[in-house]
Amino acid sequence: MLFKTKKRYEVRTAGDEVLKETAKPVAAITPEIRDLAQRMVESMEIFDGIGLAAPQIGVLLRMVALDVPPADDDTRLTQGELALCPLMPLVIVNPEILFASAEVGEREEGCLSVPDIYAPVVRPQRVMLRAQTLDGQLIECECGNLLGRCIQHELDHLDGILFVDRLTREAAAEVARPLDQLLHYGSKHNFKRVKIK
Ligand code: ZN
């Protein structure tokens, strides 16, 4: 007979101070880092996200889990989507954006740490990503479409920035009320979403 141990998963929500901190680089890929990567992937899946940064589960390290589909057929795929999407779910370590395209675009974003709130954010269309995999492999590729967007959103988390910090005045006004409600709710629940599985 099999007994399944239930695990508790938590995601920190807007208002938690940890989401405003700058995360530290990962010094070496140790067994603890691999365990953390596993927990990040499980948390991302359980909360139905396409990306999750370590600070969102309360760990101030520069690690990001991604599970992003490539853009659909009519869109030109970037080198990053071709290289990375087949590897997902994927955890990247010490990611950096080497440079971003001058061309920007607007797209609606959401966040596991800002549940049920969506708003358009303007960001560069493509970014050159450099990161390491858990196997120590160096990634360097141009990422656009949803992947480029997700990478920029997740890397912001490593520097204590939420997408709601990047809204235009108009977009910020649109979400001001639900965001206030979220902060109020969070203050009563230790700024945590919890799922047991
Ligand atoms: Zn987020």
Side-chain angles (χ1 to χ4, degrees):
M1 199 169 173
L2 283 173
F3 291 93
K4 227 175 148 186
T5 318
K6 293 206 169 184
K7 279 191 177 174
R8 180 190 162 95
Y9 296 92
E10 281 181 10
V11 169
R12 307 298 180 92
T13 60
D16 191 316
E17 289 299 314
V18 78
L19 296 175
K20 294 178 188 160
E21 305 265 336
T22 301
K24 293 189 175 59
V26 174
I29 311 290
T30 59
E32 290 74 24
I33 291 295
R34 287 177 190 282
D35 286 351
L36 170 61
Q38 180 62 31
R39 189 151 61 92
M40 288 171 63
V41 168
E42 288 174 10
S43 303
M44 173 173 68
E45 285 170 352
I46 279 157
F47 286 92
D48 283 326
I50 59 168
L52 180 121
Q56 292 182 274
I57 58 168
V59 179
L60 284 170
L61 285 173
R62 304 190 79 84
M63 287 171 66
V64 165
L66 297 166
D67 194 6
V68 182
D72 55 32
D73 296 342
D74 298 339
T75 316
R76 190 185 69 88
L77 295 183
T78 49
Q79 186 199 2
E81 290 166 279
L82 294 169
L84 303 181
C85 290
L87 307 176
M88 292 188 187
L90 172 71
V91 173
I92 56 175
V93 176
N94 298 333
E96 301 168 68
I97 289 174
L98 298 182
F99 48 85
S101 66
E103 193 189 337
V104 295
E106 189 180 71
R107 189 169 186 145
E108 192 162 80
E109 294 188 21
C111 179
L112 294 182
S113 294
V114 191
D116 301 324
I117 295 177
Y118 300 89
V121 184
V122 177
R123 296 189 192 266
Q125 292 281 30
R126 293 172 304 281
V127 292
M128 183 63 80
L129 170 74
R130 180 192 279 167
Q132 231 184 301
T133 64
L134 289 174
D135 306 325
Q137 221 186 321
L138 188 71
I139 295 169
E140 209 174 287
C141 51
E142 190 193 42
C143 301
N145 299 316
L146 184 58
L147 178 62
R149 174 62 56 156
C150 188
I151 284 168
Q152 294 178 72
H153 174 118
E154 299 308 331
L155 266 67
D156 266 355
H157 277 298
L158 305 180
D159 293 320
I161 301 166
L162 296 177
F163 82 95
V164 288
D165 299 328
R166 289 199 180 273
L167 302 183
T168 61
R169 194 184 295 260
E170 295 75 35
E174 290 272 322
V175 299
R177 198 184 154 85
L179 195 55
D180 261 2
Q181 286 168 341
L182 174 66
L183 292 172
H184 182 71
Y185 182 86
S187 68
K188 292 182 170 168
H189 294 84
N190 301 313
F191 300 106
K192 274 176 191 164
R193 299 170 70 189
V194 177
K195 281 194 186 182
I196 314 273
K197 197 161 181 182

